[in-house]
Structures are given as structure tokens and as C-alpha cells.
């Protein structure tokens, strides 16, 4: 450990330092950190059952590697500096670029298809606003090395399954396909204006249809604007309209092709595995500002659509083209953990758990501490999370402490003055009911039946 | 997601970037990351059963706050820079200073005693050597806000229990008490030379007793040198010699006092809870370069003492004296994860697990993909981790992929041409034994009985 002099400095002798964190950064107190940890554990568990494996990469990398193909806006937001060796380094701002470098660097040791999840901090020097931080956790999962519809489906299935695992069953995953849209725009001879069209379509929910129509007419004329809006609307906004919408887009795009066949295949998987009710074909999902080339998707909480997508992603053509010659196709998604946590809080799906302690042993006298420790030890051996209050403070203080840790049960230990026998009393700290003369085994059975 | 242009750049058009990480930083491939994750999960589980709660703090903080009382050496090794707003910031180099700031900043919201664990990355710009990295995970746990012997004991008990939880049962935790040593040096009128004495004592295992005696004699004379060595040797190096060593030091230090009583109390807890066999009173443990004021300890693997301490710590007088007036005493420890992992590898306690997949479904034809997905889905519902190989590659390639993921079981699906009935065959990929015509439920029962 370091030579950090924590002891021995009397605060009266030196000026106290005001403790504070940087703008856009935050501490996580136990309740919030537990909440985040439990969420991540459930997500991780689901990822693992689908065959995904974890990796890790450095927080700090060569700026040249991280920023090669970023635009000026990304560069402005990166935490970048010169290290002690004069190297131009930066904190990673996402987990995708590091993954691309990772795959290129380790391609001899990897296998394909390679399915990885990575849940870790990233840093962006954005203007801090409500709900927007400079340090936050990203939760990415990707399958690389396969063009198959099976992996497109698997990612979609896993998105649904992971949210279900954390207690969110009412989700709608809205998907679309960039290839079909590109083909449609080509048919309208609007390929060179695709960025503007995508940008306008992205604005639909914000500015409304009339405004978007007006701007599309300005860009492409009234007839094409009408076709674009007809495309975007599809044939209905429910899961049952999937194939009707697909047929509609196929007609507008000029007929059947690999891209529409892909969507049919994905739909067949979803229908036959009984999960199609969670998915809607929504042509307004374009994720136009990203590098996707195939299926794209966003995920909404049915009870709280206003917070936006909690999990977005899609298929891309080539992950690591900057670093290696071989093409590595892939499909992936990213869960917005902060937004998801905020949504769960609003929906009241958070437990408010403040510790993992099942039962505490109160301290009525310092002399009996050995008995308390033996009791706690015996309970832990039986799989019960148990801790001892360490000092003989007044009971109200100990109850207050137990409440702050959301501990449900408490034990008081008494020793019979004559026989010297130890007697345990178990108290339900919520109802205040007590059970006298109870054994450690009985306590364990009561707490974790 | 970002406007990082990953797709569309044909590698032939632009110069390929050589993928590499910074010196002293590293990627974690799945096998190593899984190993690390499983370790951390087991440690975390133990911490929680003892009542510890997790927190989190920012990776980046104000340099002034992190470095206020550090010495020049620490400052040289810190990743420090000016951010986009001109602030002097640095990456945290340990988890203790952030914890001190955290406790001061949130003292109104916290409760005492407060027991926290924090497992997270820290960064130090040290000269990279074998086994020494610039980015590594620290695993800290502390109890603050109590002077009680009960919490000293609890930390010691938990150190033993966490190592047992990860499969390491042969550990020796060597403890001592800085207060007794300080009192002893005061009795020898050597208080003003305590740093030098501690530095010499620390060298014992490296340079040997004769060399240390010679240097001690130079510093304090032959008589005091002899007494110091007698102190350091104690009365025996086994767990049964605990009280004899304590008596010996008590005599040399001038009699009974709070510090020796503290060690007696701790020993009583250890003896009465049946765990004293894992602990040795070792007066050569001083952790002299740190800020401890009470009990101090180091942990050694009985089968591999040469790697040094895998978990060290002690009691300190005042955690947050730089930031707040109120005294916050505490006791804590830090597990050296990298060293521990290296030790476990040498001892062969690592599983070599490369994924969490129990069983895979092989792909013999793209047309049957729906059946494969339904099978996998059904197995996951039964709690089995299952994935489908997504493309109809040659079987040797699929077997090789399964082996790289250390998947133990494989399923092939055949459809009866006449009846259209699906038949599953389960194959043990290690023994090559197969079971024909097996149901999903039977597969689940076989894999996870």
C-alpha cells in the first residue's frame, strides 16, 4: 500500500480539504451500487446462458487507435492527454472501438463465431446535463464472425431474455433493416441524399409528421416525400403486423432480395420459438447516424416508452477493417444501464435493498462478544448472511443501524445466570414479532426456507 | 452510439493501424477474464455474508484531493493531466484515498460502523516489470467507525473465509500490533528512530538476520539490537505459540496495556470460534511503511509462501482526517488479485473454463435452424446454458469451436424423413459417448442433476 499519510494529521493543524467529485462524475452509495450490481449480475447470468463470454480491455489506449476514424465531435469529448512517457493517450469513450482492436490483435487466439459481452466504464467529456454523466457504464454484447440469420435472431432473443431476467417483462423491441431502406432510396434515386433523409426520419417523434413531410418535400419533391412517409409508416404498429409491414416495404423497395429474406427468416425464428409478441417491425427505426448495414433495433419499456430505447444495436459489415484485412461481420447491442436503472426506479421495480445481511446479532455487552461471533459464524456456515453489531451501544441506535441496512431479522443473546446456558431470541425487525429460545438451525430455516 | 466509421472503409484503401495496447496495460481474453470474474464473484459473495456492502467512486478525481498528503514517489507514478476545462485531474492510484473522501463527503448519509468492499481498477505509472502492471484491480474491504476488537476479528475471519471460498484452504494469516512495537521502541528510547528500525526489520527475509543485526547494532548499539531481534523472533512460529509470543512481547514492551489486551481479545475470538489454527502471531509483520496504528497482518498461501502476501492490511487511527474533523477509526485489508491469481495458477487451482456453455446444438443444415433454436430455448428454460452453432460448417470445425469454448456436451438434431419427427442425440464431447433419442428434459437432468 502507499505511503499516503492518513493517520497522524490532526485536522486542526492543517486546513481541511473540501471533499468533492468532478463535474459529471459521481459516487455510488451502497443502495445504488447494490441496485446496479444486482442488475449487472442478472444480465451477466443471461448472457452466459446464451454462450457469451466476458473480455476486458484497458481504460487507456493510444489516441491514434481510438480516434482514427472518429469525427471532430467525438474528438472534442474525449479525455485525452500526454502521459509521463510523452505518449498521446485517451480514455476509451465506448467499448466498440476497443473491441475492434481486440479482435484484430488477438485473431489468432480467437474462434468464430465469437460472442462476447463487456460491461465496463467509459468516459466522455460531454456537457453534463440531467441524467448525462461523463463517466458511465456501458453494457455491450456482440456476435462476430457470422453472417447468419441465426445470430441476428439470437441477439434479439437475448435482448428480450435479459430484460425479463431483471424483472421487465413488458418490452417491445422495434426492428428494421438498413439494407431494405438503402435499396428503397436507391430505387428513388436518393442514395446520395440518404444521410439527410435518415436525419429527417430520425426527427419524426420529436417534431411530428407534418414538419418532417415539409422538409422531405423540400429535399426530394412531394411524390418521393409521400413514398418515404408511406415506407416509414409500414402496415401497422403491432407485432401481428410484422409480415404485412415486411410485404409493404418489399414492394416499395422493388421486390424480394437478401435483405427482405433475412427479415422473413428472423420472423420465422421468432414465431416458431413463441416470442414474436415482443417484436414490432418498425421502419422508422433507422439508427441512421451509425455504421449498421443490416438489421437494426431499439427496445422500449411498454410502461415507460418516454425514456426512449434502453437497448439498441444492429448488424455491421466489418468490425475491424481499420486494423485487419479479413472481414469480420457482426451484430450487437448496447444496454443503456443508467437509463434502464432510471426507468426501473420510475416503474417501482427496484428493491431498495441496502445490504445483503439477512440477520444481525445485537450487542448487549462487550463481554459476550465471543458468543455473538460464534452465533454469527454458525449461521454463515448454514448459508445465512449474518453480522454482529460490534459495540454495546443503546438499542435504539442499533435498531436504527439495522434499518439503514434494511436488515429484516435481529438476534439477541442472553445467558442464563444460573445455568450459563445461551438463549437466542429472534426478532422480525419489520413486524417486531419475537421467537424465544430458538436454535441457530431453526433461525436458518426460518430465514431461508 | 458514436459516429465511429467502422463499416465502409475497405482496408486496401487506407493504411492498416497496428493494433496494440500501451506498455503495462493488457487485454483479458475470455479464459482469463472468466477466471478473474469467478474469483471476484466468490469473494464478493463472502463479503456480503459478513455484512459488507459495495460502493463505487470515480476513476478520475481532482489531483489536489488525491495527492494532498502523498509523497513525491506516489506523485511521480500518477496518471495526471489537465482536462478540457483546465482542471488538474488524476486517475485514482488506490481505493483508500477515494474512500476517505467518500466517507467525509457522505457522512450525513452513512451509518457507523460502515463496512464496505470496493473491487475496481486503479492506475499507477510504475516501471512495468514481470507481474507488475500500470492498470490493475484492487480488492479492498474496510470497517470504519468502530474501535472494537470485534471488527478487528471480523476482518481477520473474513480474510480466511474469502480465501476458503475460492478454494484456498491452506492459508496462514500472520498478525502483529504496531502499538506494542511502538511502546517497545519507546521503552528503548528509540521512538525517534522507529522508521529506520522498521525499515531494517522489513528487510529480514531479504537480507537475513546477521546483516540486519549488524545494521541494527550500528543504529542502536549491541544491547538494543539484541532486544529488537528477540522481539521480532517472538516465542515460536506456529499458531499454538500465539499467547506465548504475546506474553514475550508484553514483557519486552513493559507490561500489559490496551494494545496487548487487544491481541488477547482477538485471540480469544479466534480460539472460541475454532479458527485459531489459521493465524500466527508474527512480530516481524510491521507494515512499517504504512499508516497503521493497531493490528496489522499479511496472508500467505501455505503451499506457495514465496509469492508473498496475498492479502494485507491493518487498523488505522483516522481515515478521513484530511477532509473532516470527526475521527473515523477503521480496520481494513486489500487482496492482491493479480498475485493471488498467479498463485492459484501455480497451485493448479484454476479451472481453465473458457465459457459458461453447458451444451451446444450443432448445425447440420441451415433449413433446420428453427428446430435448433427451439431446442436451445427449451434447454435454457430448464436452466441449462445452451447455444446454437449458427452456420452449417463441416463438423470438425464445429467440434474445434466447441473445444475452444470448453463445451462438454453437444446435440445433433435429425428429422425423420417420413414422420417429420425430431430426434435429438446427446454427445459427451470429452468421452465421445452418445445417447440417442433423448428428450430435452432428460438432457437437462443429465447435465445438471
Amino acid at each position: 500500500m502507499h505511503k499516503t499519510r492518513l493517520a497522524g494529521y490532526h485536522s486542526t493543524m492543517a486546513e481541511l480539504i473540501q471533499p468533492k467529485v468532478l463535474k459529471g462524475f459521481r459516487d455510488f452509495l451502497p443502495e445504488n451500487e447494490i441496485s446496479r450490481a444486482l442488475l449487472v449480475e442478472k444480465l451477466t447470468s443471461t448472457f452466459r446462458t446464451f454462450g457469451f463470454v466476458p473480455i476486458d480491455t484497458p481504460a487507456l489506449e493510444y489516441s491514434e487507435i481510438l480516434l482514427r476514424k472518429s469525427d471532430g465531435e467525438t474528438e472534442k469529448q474525449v479525455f485525452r492527454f500526454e502521459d509521463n512517457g510523452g505518449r498521446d493517450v485517451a480514455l476509451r469513450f465506448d467499448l466498440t472501438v476497443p473491441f475492434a482492436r481486440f479482435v484484430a490483435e488477438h485473431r489468432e487466439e480467437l474462434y468464430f463465431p465469437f460472442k462476447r459481452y463487456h460491461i465496463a466504464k467509459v468516459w466522455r467529456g460531454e456537457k453534463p446535463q440531467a441524467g448525462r454523466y461523463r463517466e458511465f457504464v456501458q453494457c455491450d454484447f456482440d456476435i462476430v464472425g457470422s453472417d447468419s440469420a441465426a445470430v441476428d435472431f439470437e441477439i434479439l432473443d437475448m435482448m428480450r431474455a435479459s430484460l425479463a431476467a431483471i424483472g421487465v417483462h413488458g418490452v417491445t423491441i422495434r426492428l428494421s433493416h438498413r439494407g431494405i431502406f438503402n435499396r428503397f432510396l436507391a430505387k428513388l434515386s436518393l442514395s446520395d441524399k440518404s444521410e439527410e433523409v435518415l436525419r429527417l426520419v430520425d426527427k419524426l417523434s420529436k417534431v411530428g409528421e407534418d414538419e418532417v413531410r415539409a422538409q422531405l418535400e423540400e429535399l426530394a419533391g412531394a411524390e418521393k416525400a409521400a413514398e418515404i412517409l408511406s415506407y416509414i409508416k409500414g402496415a401497422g404498429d403491432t407485432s401481428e403486423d410484422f409480415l404485412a409491414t415486411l410485404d409493404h416495404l418489399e414492394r416499395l423497395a422493388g421486390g424480394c432480395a437478401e435483405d427482405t429474406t433475412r427479415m422473413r427468416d428472423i420472423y420465422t425464428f421468432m414465431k416458431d420459438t413463441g416470442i414474436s409478441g415482443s417484436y414490432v417491425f418498425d421502419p422508422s427505426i433507422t439508427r441512421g447516424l451509425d455504421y449498421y448495414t443490416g438489421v437494426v433495433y431499439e427496445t422500449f419499456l411498454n410502461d415507460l416508452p418516454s425514456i426512449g430505447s434502453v437497448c439498441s444495436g444492429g448488424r455491421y459489415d466489418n468490425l475491424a477493417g481499420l486494423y485487419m484485412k479479413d472481414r469480420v461481420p457482426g451484430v450487437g447491442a448496447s444496454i443503456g444501464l443508467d437509463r434502464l436503472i432510471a426507468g426501473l426506479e420510475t416503474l417501482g421495480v427496484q428493491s431498495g435493498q441496502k445490504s445483503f445481511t439477512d440477520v444481525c446479532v445485537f450487542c448487549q455487552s462487550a463481554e459476550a462478544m465471543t458468543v455473538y461471533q460464534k452465533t454469527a459464524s454458525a449461521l454463515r456456515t448454514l448459508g445465512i448472511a449474518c453480522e454482529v453489531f460490534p459495540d454495546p451501544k443503546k438499542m435504539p441506535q442499533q435498531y436504527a443501524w439495522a434499518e439503514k441496512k434494511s436488515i429484516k431479522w435481529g438476534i439477541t443473546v442472553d445467558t442464563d445466570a444460573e445455568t450459563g446456558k445461551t438463549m437466542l431470541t429472534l426478532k422480525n425487525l419489520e413486524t417486531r414479532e419475537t421467537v424465544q429460545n430458538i436454535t441457530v438451525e431453526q433461525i436458518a430455516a426460518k430465514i431461508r426456507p
Side-chain angles (χ1 to χ4, degrees), chain A:
Chain A
M1 275 183 122
H2 269 287
K3 294 187 189 145
T4 319
R5 303 269 174 267
L6 291 180
Y9 278 89
H10 298 291
S11 54
T12 50
M13 293 181 190
E15 194 186 307
L16 290 178
I17 305 171
Q18 179 63 31
K20 61 182 157 115
V21 293
L22 289 163
K23 183 168 66 164
F25 288 76
R26 60 203 147 134
D27 289 325
F28 279 76
L29 283 154
E31 187 173 347
N32 289 334
E33 184 58 21
I34 285 172
S35 176
R36 194 168 71 162
L38 289 177
L39 205 81
V40 167
E41 279 157 36
K42 291 188 187 110
L43 292 173
T44 299
S45 178
T46 307
F47 299 164
R48 292 173 178 182
T49 64
F50 275 77
F52 286 71
V53 296
I55 65 162
D56 198 15
T57 63
L60 208 62
E61 298 218 24
Y62 284 98
S63 296
E64 188 213 23
I65 287 182
L66 285 184
L67 298 174
R68 176 68 167 263
K69 288 299 178 188
S70 298
D71 51 62
E73 209 185 300
T74 307
E75 284 204 41
K76 270 189 265 168
Q77 293 175 355
V78 167
F79 281 92
R80 181 179 184 177
F81 59 99
E82 203 176 280
D83 74 4
N84 294 347
R87 287 169 288 261
D88 182 3
V89 301
L91 286 170
R92 68 185 175 216
F93 51 85
D94 75 1
L95 298 178
T96 305
V97 176
F99 181 44
R101 182 213 34 83
F102 174 99
V103 167
E105 192 165 341
H106 302 288
R107 60 189 178 282
E108 299 303 318
E109 300 154 270
L110 293 175
Y111 47 81
F112 296 98
F114 180 61
K115 302 158 70 167
R116 82 91 179 75
Y117 67 90
H118 193 186
I119 304 177
K121 296 259 184 81
V122 300
W123 296 268
R124 298 181 192 175
E126 297 177 335
K127 236 177 149 57
Q129 327 163 3
R132 187 154 281 201
Y133 295 96
R134 290 184 161 171
E135 172 184 80
F136 55 97
V137 175
Q138 277 207 326
C139 174
D140 281 22
F141 45 94
D142 289 73
I143 305 176
V144 294
S146 173
D147 288 304
S148 157
V151 301
D152 284 344
F153 166 73
E154 200 165 72
I155 287 275
L156 288 163
D157 188 11
M158 196 168 84
M159 284 162 65
R160 180 200 52 77
S162 2
L163 289 168
I166 57 177
V168 184
H169 297 275
V171 297
T172 300
I173 298 168
R174 297 174 162 277
L175 50 151
S176 183
H177 195 299
R178 286 286 290 281
I180 306 173
F181 194 60
N182 291 341
R183 190 156 59 94
F184 164 66
L185 289 184
K187 191 161 168 291
L188 295 184
S189 306
L190 285 174
S191 294
D192 55 334
K193 295 202 173 107
S194 69
E195 258 198 62
E196 292 101 305
V197 175
L198 286 170
R199 199 176 302 124
L200 286 174
V201 167
D202 263 352
K203 284 185 184 178
L204 247 177
S205 50
K206 292 196 194 89
V207 306
E209 194 181 306
D210 291 338
E211 179 58 34
V212 172
R213 179 196 322 271
Q215 296 198 38
L216 279 171
E217 289 184 346
E218 220 173 301
L219 183 73
E223 201 181 313
K224 293 184 182 179
E227 272 206 70
I228 292 169
L229 284 168
S230 169
Y231 180 104
I232 294 304
K233 279 195 206 155
D237 200 55
T238 76
S239 55
E240 284 79 35
D241 299 313
F242 196 107
L243 289 176
T245 295
L246 177 52
D247 291 340
H248 176 74
L249 301 197
E250 196 169 62
R251 262 192 316 275
L252 287 172
C256 171
E258 219 182 289
D259 42 46
T260 47
T261 303
R262 170 57 53 100
M263 291 305 276
R264 279 187 208 287
D265 288 343
I266 291 174
Y267 184 72
T268 303
F269 293 145
M270 300 195 302
K271 195 101 177 92
D272 286 0
T273 54
I275 63 172
S276 61
S278 298
Y279 302 85
V280 169
F281 196 147
D282 181 353
S284 76
I285 300 295
T286 56
R287 301 206 61 69
L289 306 176
D290 294 310
Y291 48 78
Y292 299 118
T293 54
V295 63
V296 286
Y297 34 74
E298 295 183 0
T299 310
F300 299 86
L301 306 181
N302 296 347
D303 293 334
L304 201 58
S306 56
I307 62 169
S309 175
V310 293
C311 179
S312 306
R315 172 170 279 287
Y316 40 88
D317 195 48
N318 188 6
L319 173 71
L322 294 173
Y323 314 103
M324 56 191 270
K325 287 213 190 72
D326 299 332
R327 189 181 79 90
V328 180
V331 63
S334 195
I335 293 178
L337 269 182
D338 285 333
R339 182 180 287 186
L340 181 58
I341 288 172
L344 295 177
E345 267 161 25
T346 307
L347 291 174
V349 180
Q350 293 292 72
S351 67
Q353 185 178 339
K354 299 193 187 74
S355 77
F356 297 88
T357 309
D358 294 318
V359 58
C360 63
V361 180
F362 292 116
C363 177
Q364 295 169 283
S365 95
E367 286 71 42
M369 183 53 70
T370 309
V371 180
Y372 305 150
Q373 295 291 346
K374 286 172 84 169
T375 307
S377 198
L379 281 163
R380 277 186 225 114
T381 304
L382 293 171
I384 303 297
C386 178
E387 59 173 314
V388 178
F389 193 89
D391 298 287
K393 305 278 191 195
K394 293 184 165 60
M395 284 314 297
Q397 190 175 336
Q398 298 194 39
Y399 284 131
W401 164 89
E403 191 168 334
K404 285 189 175 172
K405 295 195 75 166
S406 60
I407 301 174
K408 294 188 161 56
W409 303 90
I411 293 169
T412 43
V413 181
D414 299 290
T415 313
D416 187 298
E418 290 177 18
T419 64
K421 233 189 86 175
T422 309
M423 288 180 316
L424 308 180
T425 300
L426 177 69
K427 186 173 199 157
N428 181 317
L429 299 179
E430 291 171 323
T431 66
R432 302 287 178 168
E433 285 167 35
T434 59
V435 182
Q436 312 259 15
N437 223 351
I438 186 172
T439 67
V440 152
E441 290 76 16
Q442 289 167 333
I443 292 173
K446 209 168 169 54
I447 292 176
R448 286 181 182 262

